[in-house]
Amino acid sequence: MDPRGYFGVCVERPKYGENVGTLWRTAHAMGASLICTIGARYQQQASDTTKAWCHLPFLFYETLDQMVVGMARGCALIGVELDAAAVPLRRFSHPERAIYLLGAEDVGLSSAARSRCDVLVQIPGRYCLNVAAAGSIVIAHRVMQRERVHSVLARNDQERATTT
């Protein structure tokens, strides 16, 4: 897992609790620091077999503004959305500190949420994905990219140490 930084996963107005439960399970397995929802209460789901809400801070916000005000300083808000302005995930460089914000399966992110995000990323593909699949892909991409960056930095540090 990434030795530096942190990430969290948040869903705005989730429609299907089962998908949220699956996303929380992935977030827990991949080292998320927190999980949250905006505008809907999360109830424990059979799909959250690790009971992530018991092991990670689970935050519930009534509004997007509450969530943004409560974000840690220096943390980027990354929206995951099909949008013409979105950066393709394969070209996206994940920041050290981030909250990934996903929208409900039927309507995606609200326009207010899109405008509050520091950047929007888009998963390549022919179809829209449910929140669990989309969030899991973004989390896995982050973990693999950050591990690759840290292994390169560690190798460079070792090379510098042996040449001095």
Side-chain angles (χ1 to χ4, degrees), residues 37-104:
T37 59
I38 300 169
R41 295 192 186 278
Y42 169 70
Q43 298 174 3
Q44 181 181 353
Q45 296 293 322
S47 55
D48 179 12
T49 58
T50 65
K51 296 183 181 174
W53 58 274
C54 292
H55 307 289
L56 296 174
F58 172 69
L59 308 171
F60 168 74
Y61 300 100
E62 290 283 344
T63 67
L64 174 67
D65 288 338
Q66 285 178 341
M67 198 255 333
V68 171
V69 166
M71 283 179 59
R73 186 176 184 185
C75 181
L77 183 59
I78 311 299
V80 180
E81 187 61 68
L82 293 173
D83 189 289
V87 175
L89 184 61
R90 68 181 160 273
R91 291 198 329 241
F92 182 65
S93 185
H94 295 269
E96 190 172 65
R97 296 167 306 281
I99 300 292
Y100 296 94
L101 179 61
L102 297 102

Short mmCIF file of all heavy atoms in Angstrom, two decimals, residues 37-104:
data_model
loop_
_atom_site.label_atom_id
_atom_site.label_comp_id
_atom_site.label_asym_id
_atom_site.label_seq_id
_atom_site.Cartn_x
_atom_site.Cartn_y
_atom_site.Cartn_z
N THR A 37 -20.90 9.26 2.51
CA THR A 37 -22.00 9.51 1.58
C THR A 37 -22.48 10.94 1.78
O THR A 37 -22.31 11.53 2.84
CB THR A 37 -23.19 8.55 1.79
OG1 THR A 37 -23.68 8.70 3.12
CG2 THR A 37 -22.80 7.11 1.53
N ILE A 38 -23.08 11.46 0.73
CA ILE A 38 -23.72 12.77 0.77
C ILE A 38 -25.18 12.57 0.40
O ILE A 38 -25.47 12.00 -0.66
CB ILE A 38 -23.07 13.75 -0.23
CG1 ILE A 38 -21.59 13.94 0.06
CG2 ILE A 38 -23.80 15.08 -0.23
CD1 ILE A 38 -20.84 14.66 -1.04
N GLY A 39 -26.07 13.00 1.26
CA GLY A 39 -27.48 13.02 0.91
C GLY A 39 -28.23 11.71 1.03
O GLY A 39 -29.39 11.64 0.65
N ALA A 40 -27.64 10.68 1.55
CA ALA A 40 -28.36 9.42 1.75
C ALA A 40 -27.64 8.62 2.82
O ALA A 40 -26.42 8.61 2.89
CB ALA A 40 -28.42 8.61 0.46
N ARG A 41 -28.39 7.98 3.65
CA ARG A 41 -27.77 7.16 4.70
C ARG A 41 -27.39 5.80 4.14
O ARG A 41 -28.10 5.21 3.35
CB ARG A 41 -28.72 6.98 5.87
CG ARG A 41 -29.00 8.28 6.55
CD ARG A 41 -29.68 8.05 7.87
NE ARG A 41 -30.07 9.31 8.46
CZ ARG A 41 -29.25 10.08 9.16
NH1 ARG A 41 -28.02 9.73 9.36
NH2 ARG A 41 -29.68 11.22 9.66
N TYR A 42 -26.24 5.36 4.59
CA TYR A 42 -25.77 4.03 4.20
C TYR A 42 -26.19 3.06 5.28
O TYR A 42 -25.98 3.30 6.47
CB TYR A 42 -24.25 4.03 4.06
CG TYR A 42 -23.66 2.64 3.92
CD1 TYR A 42 -23.87 1.91 2.78
CD2 TYR A 42 -22.93 2.08 4.94
CE1 TYR A 42 -23.34 0.65 2.64
CE2 TYR A 42 -22.39 0.82 4.82
CZ TYR A 42 -22.60 0.10 3.66
OH TYR A 42 -22.09 -1.15 3.54
N GLN A 43 -26.79 1.98 4.89
CA GLN A 43 -27.12 0.91 5.82
C GLN A 43 -26.23 -0.27 5.50
O GLN A 43 -25.91 -0.51 4.34
CB GLN A 43 -28.58 0.52 5.69
CG GLN A 43 -29.52 1.66 6.03
CD GLN A 43 -30.96 1.31 5.76
OE1 GLN A 43 -31.28 0.20 5.37
NE2 GLN A 43 -31.84 2.26 5.97
N GLN A 44 -25.85 -0.99 6.53
CA GLN A 44 -24.99 -2.15 6.32
C GLN A 44 -25.61 -3.06 5.25
O GLN A 44 -26.80 -3.31 5.27
CB GLN A 44 -24.80 -2.93 7.61
CG GLN A 44 -23.89 -4.12 7.43
CD GLN A 44 -23.72 -4.92 8.70
OE1 GLN A 44 -24.17 -4.53 9.75
NE2 GLN A 44 -23.07 -6.04 8.57
N GLN A 45 -24.78 -3.50 4.33
CA GLN A 45 -25.22 -4.34 3.24
C GLN A 45 -24.49 -5.67 3.27
O GLN A 45 -23.33 -5.74 3.69
CB GLN A 45 -24.93 -3.66 1.89
CG GLN A 45 -25.68 -2.37 1.70
CD GLN A 45 -27.16 -2.58 1.58
OE1 GLN A 45 -27.62 -3.57 0.98
NE2 GLN A 45 -27.94 -1.69 2.15
N ALA A 46 -25.14 -6.71 2.80
CA ALA A 46 -24.49 -8.02 2.72
C ALA A 46 -23.25 -7.97 1.84
O ALA A 46 -22.31 -8.73 2.05
CB ALA A 46 -25.48 -9.06 2.18
N SER A 47 -23.23 -7.03 0.87
CA SER A 47 -22.08 -6.93 -0.03
C SER A 47 -20.84 -6.34 0.66
O SER A 47 -19.74 -6.46 0.15
CB SER A 47 -22.44 -6.10 -1.26
OG SER A 47 -22.92 -4.84 -0.87
N ASP A 48 -21.01 -5.73 1.82
CA ASP A 48 -19.88 -5.20 2.60
C ASP A 48 -19.47 -6.27 3.61
O ASP A 48 -19.68 -6.14 4.81
CB ASP A 48 -20.27 -3.90 3.30
CG ASP A 48 -19.13 -3.32 4.14
OD1 ASP A 48 -17.98 -3.80 4.02
OD2 ASP A 48 -19.40 -2.40 4.93
N THR A 49 -18.87 -7.35 3.10
CA THR A 49 -18.57 -8.50 3.95
C THR A 49 -17.46 -8.22 4.96
O THR A 49 -17.33 -8.93 5.95
CB THR A 49 -18.17 -9.72 3.11
OG1 THR A 49 -17.04 -9.39 2.31
CG2 THR A 49 -19.33 -10.17 2.23
N THR A 50 -16.66 -7.18 4.74
CA THR A 50 -15.61 -6.85 5.71
C THR A 50 -16.12 -5.88 6.78
O THR A 50 -15.37 -5.54 7.69
CB THR A 50 -14.39 -6.21 5.02
OG1 THR A 50 -14.78 -4.95 4.47
CG2 THR A 50 -13.81 -7.11 3.95
N LYS A 51 -17.37 -5.44 6.64
CA LYS A 51 -17.93 -4.44 7.55
C LYS A 51 -17.01 -3.22 7.63
O LYS A 51 -16.61 -2.76 8.69
CB LYS A 51 -18.20 -5.02 8.93
CG LYS A 51 -19.24 -6.11 8.90
CD LYS A 51 -19.53 -6.63 10.28
CE LYS A 51 -20.56 -7.74 10.17
NZ LYS A 51 -20.81 -8.39 11.44
N ALA A 52 -16.69 -2.70 6.44
CA ALA A 52 -15.76 -1.57 6.33
C ALA A 52 -16.17 -0.41 7.23
O ALA A 52 -15.32 0.26 7.81
CB ALA A 52 -15.67 -1.10 4.88
N TRP A 53 -17.46 -0.18 7.37
CA TRP A 53 -17.93 0.94 8.19
C TRP A 53 -17.52 0.78 9.65
O TRP A 53 -17.52 1.77 10.39
CB TRP A 53 -19.44 1.09 8.05
CG TRP A 53 -20.21 -0.14 8.43
CD1 TRP A 53 -20.51 -1.19 7.62
CD2 TRP A 53 -20.73 -0.46 9.71
NE1 TRP A 53 -21.19 -2.15 8.31
CE2 TRP A 53 -21.35 -1.73 9.61
CE3 TRP A 53 -20.75 0.20 10.94
CZ2 TRP A 53 -21.97 -2.34 10.69
CZ3 TRP A 53 -21.38 -0.43 12.00
CH2 TRP A 53 -21.98 -1.67 11.88
N CYS A 54 -17.15 -0.42 10.07
CA CYS A 54 -16.67 -0.64 11.45
C CYS A 54 -15.17 -0.37 11.58
O CYS A 54 -14.66 -0.21 12.69
CB CYS A 54 -16.91 -2.09 11.88
SG CYS A 54 -18.62 -2.52 12.09
N HIS A 55 -14.45 -0.34 10.46
CA HIS A 55 -12.99 -0.27 10.49
C HIS A 55 -12.41 1.01 9.90
O HIS A 55 -11.23 1.29 10.08
CB HIS A 55 -12.40 -1.48 9.76
CG HIS A 55 -12.95 -2.77 10.28
ND1 HIS A 55 -12.62 -3.27 11.52
CD2 HIS A 55 -13.84 -3.63 9.75
CE1 HIS A 55 -13.27 -4.41 11.72
NE2 HIS A 55 -14.02 -4.64 10.67
N LEU A 56 -13.22 1.73 9.16
CA LEU A 56 -12.81 3.00 8.57
C LEU A 56 -13.76 4.08 9.08
O LEU A 56 -14.94 3.79 9.29
CB LEU A 56 -12.95 2.96 7.04
CG LEU A 56 -12.10 2.00 6.26
CD1 LEU A 56 -12.51 2.02 4.79
CD2 LEU A 56 -10.65 2.38 6.38
N PRO A 57 -13.29 5.29 9.22
CA PRO A 57 -14.24 6.35 9.54
C PRO A 57 -15.30 6.42 8.45
O PRO A 57 -14.98 6.48 7.26
CB PRO A 57 -13.39 7.61 9.55
CG PRO A 57 -12.00 7.14 9.81
CD PRO A 57 -11.91 5.79 9.16
N PHE A 58 -16.56 6.33 8.86
CA PHE A 58 -17.68 6.48 7.92
C PHE A 58 -18.37 7.79 8.25
O PHE A 58 -18.87 7.98 9.35
CB PHE A 58 -18.67 5.32 8.02
CG PHE A 58 -19.90 5.57 7.21
CD1 PHE A 58 -19.82 5.59 5.83
CD2 PHE A 58 -21.10 5.85 7.80
CE1 PHE A 58 -20.95 5.86 5.06
CE2 PHE A 58 -22.23 6.12 7.05
CZ PHE A 58 -22.15 6.13 5.68
N LEU A 59 -18.37 8.69 7.29
CA LEU A 59 -18.94 10.01 7.48
C LEU A 59 -20.19 10.17 6.63
O LEU A 59 -20.22 9.73 5.48
CB LEU A 59 -17.91 11.08 7.11
CG LEU A 59 -16.54 10.92 7.79
CD1 LEU A 59 -15.53 11.88 7.19
CD2 LEU A 59 -16.66 11.12 9.28
N PHE A 60 -21.20 10.77 7.21
CA PHE A 60 -22.43 11.06 6.48
C PHE A 60 -22.63 12.57 6.47
O PHE A 60 -22.57 13.22 7.50
CB PHE A 60 -23.64 10.39 7.14
CG PHE A 60 -24.93 10.90 6.59
CD1 PHE A 60 -25.35 10.52 5.33
CD2 PHE A 60 -25.70 11.80 7.31
CE1 PHE A 60 -26.53 11.01 4.79
CE2 PHE A 60 -26.88 12.30 6.78
CZ PHE A 60 -27.30 11.90 5.52
N TYR A 61 -22.85 13.10 5.28
CA TYR A 61 -23.10 14.52 5.12
C TYR A 61 -24.47 14.71 4.49
O TYR A 61 -24.82 14.00 3.54
CB TYR A 61 -22.05 15.17 4.23
CG TYR A 61 -20.65 15.04 4.76
CD1 TYR A 61 -19.78 14.08 4.26
CD2 TYR A 61 -20.19 15.88 5.78
CE1 TYR A 61 -18.49 13.96 4.76
CE2 TYR A 61 -18.91 15.76 6.28
CZ TYR A 61 -18.07 14.80 5.77
OH TYR A 61 -16.80 14.67 6.26
N GLU A 62 -25.21 15.67 4.99
CA GLU A 62 -26.51 16.00 4.39
C GLU A 62 -26.32 16.68 3.03
O GLU A 62 -27.09 16.46 2.12
CB GLU A 62 -27.30 16.95 5.31
CG GLU A 62 -27.80 16.30 6.58
CD GLU A 62 -29.01 15.43 6.37
OE1 GLU A 62 -29.68 15.53 5.32
OE2 GLU A 62 -29.28 14.62 7.27
N THR A 63 -25.26 17.52 2.94
CA THR A 63 -25.06 18.31 1.73
C THR A 63 -23.61 18.24 1.25
O THR A 63 -22.70 17.95 2.04
CB THR A 63 -25.40 19.80 1.98
OG1 THR A 63 -24.44 20.35 2.89
CG2 THR A 63 -26.81 19.97 2.53
N LEU A 64 -23.43 18.56 0.01
CA LEU A 64 -22.10 18.66 -0.58
C LEU A 64 -21.27 19.72 0.14
O LEU A 64 -20.09 19.51 0.42
CB LEU A 64 -22.21 18.98 -2.07
CG LEU A 64 -20.92 19.25 -2.81
CD1 LEU A 64 -20.08 17.98 -2.90
CD2 LEU A 64 -21.20 19.79 -4.20
N ASP A 65 -21.87 20.85 0.45
CA ASP A 65 -21.14 21.92 1.15
C ASP A 65 -20.59 21.44 2.49
O ASP A 65 -19.46 21.78 2.84
CB ASP A 65 -22.04 23.14 1.36
CG ASP A 65 -22.30 23.90 0.07
OD1 ASP A 65 -21.50 23.76 -0.88
OD2 ASP A 65 -23.31 24.63 0.01
N GLN A 66 -21.36 20.65 3.23
CA GLN A 66 -20.87 20.11 4.50
C GLN A 66 -19.62 19.26 4.28
O GLN A 66 -18.67 19.34 5.05
CB GLN A 66 -21.93 19.25 5.18
CG GLN A 66 -23.04 20.00 5.83
CD GLN A 66 -24.07 19.04 6.44
OE1 GLN A 66 -24.14 17.87 6.10
NE2 GLN A 66 -24.87 19.58 7.34
N MET A 67 -19.65 18.43 3.25
CA MET A 67 -18.50 17.56 2.97
C MET A 67 -17.28 18.38 2.60
O MET A 67 -16.20 18.16 3.12
CB MET A 67 -18.83 16.58 1.84
CG MET A 67 -17.90 15.39 1.80
SD MET A 67 -16.60 15.24 0.58
CE MET A 67 -17.03 16.07 -0.85
N VAL A 68 -17.44 19.36 1.72
CA VAL A 68 -16.31 20.17 1.27
C VAL A 68 -15.71 20.96 2.44
O VAL A 68 -14.49 21.00 2.58
CB VAL A 68 -16.74 21.10 0.11
CG1 VAL A 68 -15.66 22.11 -0.23
CG2 VAL A 68 -17.09 20.27 -1.13
N VAL A 69 -16.54 21.52 3.28
CA VAL A 69 -16.04 22.27 4.44
C VAL A 69 -15.27 21.34 5.38
O VAL A 69 -14.27 21.74 5.97
CB VAL A 69 -17.21 22.97 5.18
CG1 VAL A 69 -16.78 23.45 6.55
CG2 VAL A 69 -17.75 24.11 4.35
N GLY A 70 -15.70 20.09 5.49
CA GLY A 70 -15.06 19.14 6.39
C GLY A 70 -13.82 18.47 5.83
O GLY A 70 -13.14 17.73 6.55
N MET A 71 -13.49 18.72 4.57
CA MET A 71 -12.31 18.07 3.98
C MET A 71 -11.03 18.60 4.59
O MET A 71 -10.92 19.76 4.95
CB MET A 71 -12.27 18.30 2.46
CG MET A 71 -13.24 17.43 1.70
SD MET A 71 -13.20 17.72 -0.08
CE MET A 71 -11.51 17.36 -0.49
N ALA A 72 -10.06 17.72 4.69
CA ALA A 72 -8.75 18.09 5.22
C ALA A 72 -8.06 19.08 4.28
O ALA A 72 -8.22 19.03 3.06
CB ALA A 72 -7.88 16.85 5.40
N ARG A 73 -7.27 19.94 4.85
CA ARG A 73 -6.50 20.92 4.08
C ARG A 73 -5.55 20.20 3.14
O ARG A 73 -4.89 19.23 3.51
CB ARG A 73 -5.73 21.78 5.06
CG ARG A 73 -5.02 22.91 4.44
CD ARG A 73 -4.38 23.72 5.53
NE ARG A 73 -3.77 24.90 4.98
CZ ARG A 73 -3.07 25.73 5.70
NH1 ARG A 73 -2.90 25.51 6.99
NH2 ARG A 73 -2.53 26.78 5.14
N GLY A 74 -5.48 20.66 1.90
CA GLY A 74 -4.56 20.09 0.93
C GLY A 74 -5.06 18.81 0.28
O GLY A 74 -4.33 18.17 -0.46
N CYS A 75 -6.30 18.45 0.54
CA CYS A 75 -6.87 17.23 -0.05
C CYS A 75 -7.62 17.61 -1.32
O CYS A 75 -8.43 18.53 -1.32
CB CYS A 75 -7.82 16.58 0.96
SG CYS A 75 -8.56 15.06 0.37
N ALA A 76 -7.35 16.88 -2.40
CA ALA A 76 -8.01 17.15 -3.68
C ALA A 76 -9.33 16.41 -3.74
O ALA A 76 -9.45 15.27 -3.28
CB ALA A 76 -7.12 16.71 -4.83
N LEU A 77 -10.33 17.05 -4.32
CA LEU A 77 -11.62 16.40 -4.57
C LEU A 77 -11.64 15.99 -6.03
O LEU A 77 -11.62 16.84 -6.93
CB LEU A 77 -12.78 17.35 -4.24
CG LEU A 77 -14.18 16.77 -4.38
CD1 LEU A 77 -14.36 15.55 -3.47
CD2 LEU A 77 -15.23 17.83 -4.06
N ILE A 78 -11.66 14.69 -6.25
CA ILE A 78 -11.59 14.12 -7.60
C ILE A 78 -12.95 13.52 -7.95
O ILE A 78 -13.38 12.55 -7.34
CB ILE A 78 -10.52 13.01 -7.69
CG1 ILE A 78 -9.18 13.45 -7.08
CG2 ILE A 78 -10.38 12.51 -9.13
CD1 ILE A 78 -8.54 14.63 -7.73
N GLY A 79 -13.62 14.11 -8.93
CA GLY A 79 -14.91 13.58 -9.38
C GLY A 79 -14.70 12.49 -10.41
O GLY A 79 -13.82 12.60 -11.27
N VAL A 80 -15.49 11.44 -10.31
CA VAL A 80 -15.44 10.34 -11.28
C VAL A 80 -16.74 10.42 -12.07
O VAL A 80 -17.82 10.19 -11.53
CB VAL A 80 -15.29 8.98 -10.57
CG1 VAL A 80 -15.24 7.85 -11.59
CG2 VAL A 80 -14.06 8.98 -9.67
N GLU A 81 -16.63 10.76 -13.36
CA GLU A 81 -17.84 11.06 -14.12
C GLU A 81 -17.58 10.98 -15.62
O GLU A 81 -16.48 11.30 -16.09
CB GLU A 81 -18.30 12.48 -13.77
CG GLU A 81 -19.62 12.90 -14.35
CD GLU A 81 -20.77 12.04 -13.89
OE1 GLU A 81 -21.12 12.09 -12.70
OE2 GLU A 81 -21.33 11.31 -14.74
N LEU A 82 -18.61 10.58 -16.37
CA LEU A 82 -18.57 10.68 -17.82
C LEU A 82 -18.85 12.13 -18.16
O LEU A 82 -19.96 12.62 -17.94
CB LEU A 82 -19.63 9.77 -18.46
CG LEU A 82 -19.44 8.28 -18.30
CD1 LEU A 82 -20.64 7.53 -18.83
CD2 LEU A 82 -18.18 7.84 -19.02
N ASP A 83 -17.86 12.84 -18.65
CA ASP A 83 -17.99 14.27 -18.88
C ASP A 83 -16.96 14.67 -19.93
O ASP A 83 -15.81 14.21 -19.88
CB ASP A 83 -17.74 15.02 -17.56
CG ASP A 83 -18.05 16.49 -17.64
OD1 ASP A 83 -17.30 17.23 -18.33
OD2 ASP A 83 -19.04 16.92 -17.02
N ALA A 84 -17.34 15.54 -20.82
CA ALA A 84 -16.42 15.98 -21.88
C ALA A 84 -15.18 16.65 -21.31
O ALA A 84 -14.11 16.62 -21.92
CB ALA A 84 -17.15 16.93 -22.83
N ALA A 85 -15.30 17.25 -20.13
CA ALA A 85 -14.16 17.94 -19.51
C ALA A 85 -13.28 17.01 -18.68
O ALA A 85 -12.25 17.43 -18.17
CB ALA A 85 -14.68 19.07 -18.62
N ALA A 86 -13.66 15.75 -18.56
CA ALA A 86 -12.92 14.81 -17.70
C ALA A 86 -11.62 14.34 -18.34
O ALA A 86 -11.52 14.18 -19.56
CB ALA A 86 -13.80 13.61 -17.38
N VAL A 87 -10.63 14.11 -17.49
CA VAL A 87 -9.34 13.56 -17.91
C VAL A 87 -9.50 12.04 -17.98
O VAL A 87 -10.03 11.43 -17.05
CB VAL A 87 -8.25 13.91 -16.86
CG1 VAL A 87 -6.92 13.25 -17.20
CG2 VAL A 87 -8.11 15.41 -16.71
N PRO A 88 -9.06 11.42 -19.08
CA PRO A 88 -9.11 9.96 -19.12
C PRO A 88 -8.27 9.37 -17.98
O PRO A 88 -7.15 9.84 -17.72
CB PRO A 88 -8.51 9.61 -20.48
CG PRO A 88 -8.66 10.85 -21.30
CD PRO A 88 -8.54 11.99 -20.33
N LEU A 89 -8.80 8.38 -17.31
CA LEU A 89 -8.12 7.79 -16.15
C LEU A 89 -6.70 7.36 -16.48
O LEU A 89 -5.79 7.55 -15.67
CB LEU A 89 -8.93 6.61 -15.61
CG LEU A 89 -8.41 5.96 -14.34
CD1 LEU A 89 -8.37 6.94 -13.18
CD2 LEU A 89 -9.25 4.74 -13.99
N ARG A 90 -6.47 6.81 -17.65
CA ARG A 90 -5.13 6.30 -17.99
C ARG A 90 -4.09 7.43 -18.05
O ARG A 90 -2.90 7.18 -17.95
CB ARG A 90 -5.17 5.51 -19.29
CG ARG A 90 -5.46 6.32 -20.52
CD ARG A 90 -5.51 5.45 -21.79
NE ARG A 90 -6.22 6.12 -22.84
CZ ARG A 90 -7.54 6.07 -23.03
NH1 ARG A 90 -8.28 5.38 -22.23
NH2 ARG A 90 -8.10 6.72 -24.02
N ARG A 91 -4.53 8.69 -18.21
CA ARG A 91 -3.60 9.83 -18.25
C ARG A 91 -3.58 10.62 -16.94
O ARG A 91 -2.88 11.62 -16.84
CB ARG A 91 -3.97 10.77 -19.40
CG ARG A 91 -3.72 10.16 -20.76
CD ARG A 91 -3.67 11.19 -21.87
NE ARG A 91 -4.50 12.37 -21.68
CZ ARG A 91 -5.48 12.75 -22.49
NH1 ARG A 91 -5.77 12.03 -23.55
NH2 ARG A 91 -6.17 13.84 -22.25
N PHE A 92 -4.33 10.16 -15.95
CA PHE A 92 -4.47 10.90 -14.70
C PHE A 92 -3.39 10.51 -13.71
O PHE A 92 -3.11 9.34 -13.50
CB PHE A 92 -5.85 10.63 -14.09
CG PHE A 92 -6.10 11.38 -12.82
CD1 PHE A 92 -6.17 12.77 -12.81
CD2 PHE A 92 -6.25 10.71 -11.62
CE1 PHE A 92 -6.39 13.47 -11.64
CE2 PHE A 92 -6.49 11.39 -10.45
CZ PHE A 92 -6.56 12.78 -10.45
N SER A 93 -2.78 11.51 -13.10
CA SER A 93 -1.78 11.29 -12.07
C SER A 93 -2.43 11.57 -10.71
O SER A 93 -2.79 12.70 -10.40
CB SER A 93 -0.59 12.24 -12.31
OG SER A 93 0.43 11.97 -11.41
N HIS A 94 -2.59 10.53 -9.92
CA HIS A 94 -3.29 10.65 -8.64
C HIS A 94 -2.48 11.48 -7.64
O HIS A 94 -1.28 11.26 -7.48
CB HIS A 94 -3.54 9.25 -8.05
CG HIS A 94 -4.48 8.44 -8.86
ND1 HIS A 94 -5.84 8.45 -8.66
CD2 HIS A 94 -4.25 7.60 -9.90
CE1 HIS A 94 -6.41 7.64 -9.54
NE2 HIS A 94 -5.47 7.12 -10.30
N PRO A 95 -3.14 12.40 -6.97
CA PRO A 95 -2.44 13.21 -5.96
C PRO A 95 -2.18 12.40 -4.70
O PRO A 95 -2.79 11.35 -4.47
CB PRO A 95 -3.41 14.36 -5.69
CG PRO A 95 -4.76 13.79 -6.01
CD PRO A 95 -4.53 12.80 -7.12
N GLU A 96 -1.30 12.90 -3.87
CA GLU A 96 -0.96 12.21 -2.62
C GLU A 96 -2.16 12.11 -1.69
O GLU A 96 -2.36 11.10 -1.02
CB GLU A 96 0.18 12.96 -1.94
CG GLU A 96 0.78 12.22 -0.77
CD GLU A 96 2.03 12.91 -0.24
OE1 GLU A 96 1.92 14.05 0.26
OE2 GLU A 96 3.11 12.31 -0.34
N ARG A 97 -2.99 13.16 -1.64
CA ARG A 97 -4.16 13.20 -0.77
C ARG A 97 -5.39 13.47 -1.63
O ARG A 97 -5.45 14.49 -2.32
CB ARG A 97 -4.00 14.32 0.28
CG ARG A 97 -2.83 14.08 1.22
CD ARG A 97 -2.48 15.32 2.03
NE ARG A 97 -2.24 16.52 1.24
CZ ARG A 97 -1.10 16.78 0.59
NH1 ARG A 97 -0.10 15.93 0.63
NH2 ARG A 97 -0.96 17.89 -0.12
N ALA A 98 -6.38 12.57 -1.55
CA ALA A 98 -7.56 12.74 -2.41
C ALA A 98 -8.80 12.11 -1.81
O ALA A 98 -8.73 11.11 -1.09
CB ALA A 98 -7.30 12.10 -3.78
N ILE A 99 -9.93 12.72 -2.13
CA ILE A 99 -11.23 12.12 -1.92
C ILE A 99 -11.81 11.91 -3.32
O ILE A 99 -11.86 12.85 -4.12
CB ILE A 99 -12.19 13.04 -1.11
CG1 ILE A 99 -11.62 13.33 0.26
CG2 ILE A 99 -13.59 12.41 -1.03
CD1 ILE A 99 -11.57 12.17 1.20
N TYR A 100 -12.20 10.68 -3.62
CA TYR A 100 -12.82 10.35 -4.90
C TYR A 100 -14.33 10.40 -4.71
O TYR A 100 -14.89 9.70 -3.88
CB TYR A 100 -12.35 8.98 -5.38
CG TYR A 100 -10.86 8.98 -5.64
CD1 TYR A 100 -9.97 8.57 -4.65
CD2 TYR A 100 -10.36 9.45 -6.84
CE1 TYR A 100 -8.60 8.62 -4.87
CE2 TYR A 100 -8.99 9.49 -7.06
CZ TYR A 100 -8.12 9.08 -6.07
OH TYR A 100 -6.77 9.14 -6.29
N LEU A 101 -14.99 11.25 -5.49
CA LEU A 101 -16.42 11.48 -5.37
C LEU A 101 -17.13 10.87 -6.57
O LEU A 101 -16.83 11.21 -7.72
CB LEU A 101 -16.70 12.99 -5.28
CG LEU A 101 -18.16 13.42 -5.18
CD1 LEU A 101 -18.81 12.84 -3.92
CD2 LEU A 101 -18.26 14.94 -5.18
N LEU A 102 -18.05 9.97 -6.28
CA LEU A 102 -18.83 9.30 -7.32
C LEU A 102 -20.29 9.67 -7.15
O LEU A 102 -20.74 9.96 -6.03
CB LEU A 102 -18.66 7.78 -7.22
CG LEU A 102 -17.24 7.30 -7.47
CD1 LEU A 102 -16.54 6.97 -6.18
CD2 LEU A 102 -17.24 6.12 -8.40
N GLY A 103 -21.04 9.62 -8.24
CA GLY A 103 -22.46 9.96 -8.20
C GLY A 103 -23.34 8.73 -8.20
O GLY A 103 -22.86 7.60 -8.34
N ALA A 104 -24.62 8.96 -8.06
CA ALA A 104 -25.60 7.88 -8.09
C ALA A 104 -25.63 7.23 -9.47
O ALA A 104 -25.33 7.87 -10.48
CB ALA A 104 -26.98 8.42 -7.73
#
